[in-house]
Amino acid sequence: SYLPVLATQRRWGLFLTDCGYTAIGPGTPYPPQRHPDAFHFDWQHGRTLDEYQVVYITRGRGVFEAQGVRRQEVQAGDVFVLFPGVWHRYAPDPKTGWDEQWIGFNGAVAERLLKPPFFRPSRPLVRVGVDEALRLLFHALVDAVDRNPAGAPLSAAGDVLRILGVIQERSQGADEAGGVS
């Protein structure tokens, strides 16, 4: 789902711009369908967005690469953060595919939260582990937007905050267990 952003949402300081989830089967072309022009990408060219995105992989594996960040393997339980104005590309392994959940958002609150020490463009891959509660938070937000796209744009910002908070909590637990953050 790709959402219009109202002036009220911009003043609020945090607004959801898009969200979704997709199961990419082994051997499936990626991305599986054309996105709106501002979001379209292919592996050869990558892309640069004007928003933040958080992508959570819950099954399978693949690769991720961003400006200033070497190519990294992605596995189930990894989150990668896309930063505005930063070129990136990613894709599932054709042998396994992957399940991805994502949210796109922006605003002054997002700019404050997605800075060190919590998130870093130099370390956009965050290990949180496969977490059913986190996956369900993504799905609940997508399902609510699908049911009523104009529904509750300000409270949707609260859902974004909750997802970011859970990612931080889980990644700190993964750090303590020897994971990557």
Side-chain angles (χ1 to χ4, degrees), residues 17-149:
T17 55
D18 52 277
C19 58
Y21 52 85
T22 307
I24 308 297
T28 301
Y30 190 82
Q33 58 190 12
R34 184 157 171 80
H35 299 290
D37 287 344
F39 297 91
H40 181 70
F41 75 101
D42 61 47
W43 180 259
Q44 182 179 357
H45 298 102
R47 70 175 174 189
T48 303
L49 296 172
D50 292 329
E51 65 179 29
Y52 296 92
Q53 282 193 357
V54 170
V55 182
Y56 181 37
I57 304 303
T58 55
R59 181 197 59 79
R61 65 179 182 267
V63 293
F64 170 82
E65 186 175 357
Q67 179 182 335
V69 177
R70 65 175 173 72
R71 186 176 300 181
Q72 299 179 13
E73 288 189 27
V74 175
Q75 61 183 339
D78 287 344
V79 167
F80 48 92
V81 181
L82 309 176
F83 293 84
V86 176
W87 175 90
H88 61 270
R89 62 186 179 177
Y90 54 90
D93 183 322
K95 294 176 188 163
T96 64
W98 68 20
D99 291 353
E100 62 183 15
Q101 289 71 209
W102 77 90
I103 54 173
F105 54 96
N106 217 331
V109 172
E111 290 174 17
R112 183 186 177 306
L113 291 174
L114 278 97
K115 294 197 304 193
F118 301 109
F119 295 96
R120 292 180 169 86
S122 63
R123 296 180 72 191
L125 191 64
V126 179
R127 181 84 182 137
V128 298
V130 177
D131 184 292
E132 183 65 8
L134 178 56
R135 187 188 72 78
L136 290 174
L137 288 175
F138 278 90
H139 283 243
L141 177 56
V142 173
D143 293 346
V145 167
D146 284 349
R147 279 192 308 277
N148 187 359

